[in-house]
Amino acid sequence: MKQPSWILTVIAMTSTAYAAPLMGQPLNTKNIGLCVQYGCQLTKKQKVTDEYIPYPQTSYTYKVKTLNANLVITTRTKDNMAIEFDIDVPRYPLDAHDEAIFLKLIQQVTGGSYRIEILSRCFQKLEAAGGDSRMPNDDGFAEELMLARDHIGVKCFTKPFGNSQSSGIRIFFGD
């Protein structure tokens, strides 16, 4: 019996051992499992400027080559320390393969171990309640807190994409 390709992907990605969480470490795409597995191509590098940001930041946007996904990693400019990871796919709802990819990234970035259900619960809560960002948002995002641990937060989000929605997760240092 032929196995679905997403099962093989999960097995391959979970077999890779990571020494330390990626959050707070210098950016190196060779240490990011999904970039090793699928390939990441830098499409944009941009200085982040905002009156609320306490230090200069740089944002790197990658196209995950064989997934239809975008990965944005924000770093502290002076030492290239990763402080935020965003990944999104141009569809909603997520399929099982997307959920497996997102969960693996959460686990690798945070250093924690979580059940796949955190993703579906977050998106269900987001859909039911409209998310925690009901305030006007220039990006049109609706997002919901999924988990918070050791000053690291994870949110799921949806945003307009053409005539439908894209969905993703944001992993960030909390206040």
Side-chain angles (χ1 to χ4, degrees), residues 74-94:
T74 304
T75 65
R76 204 167 55 187
T77 302
K78 72 176 183 178
D79 57 8
N80 209 32
M81 181 178 85
I83 58 172
E84 184 172 297
F85 290 76
D86 289 52
I87 186 169
D88 71 279
V89 293
R91 56 193 158 275
Y92 180 79
L94 297 174

Side-chain angles (χ1 to χ4, degrees), residues 40-55:
C40 288
Q41 178 180 3
L42 181 66
T43 59
K44 186 164 120 181
K45 177 181 175 182
Q46 173 179 348
K47 298 286 184 203
V48 179
T49 55
D50 187 310
E51 64 184 282
Y52 301 108
I53 297 175
Y55 44 81

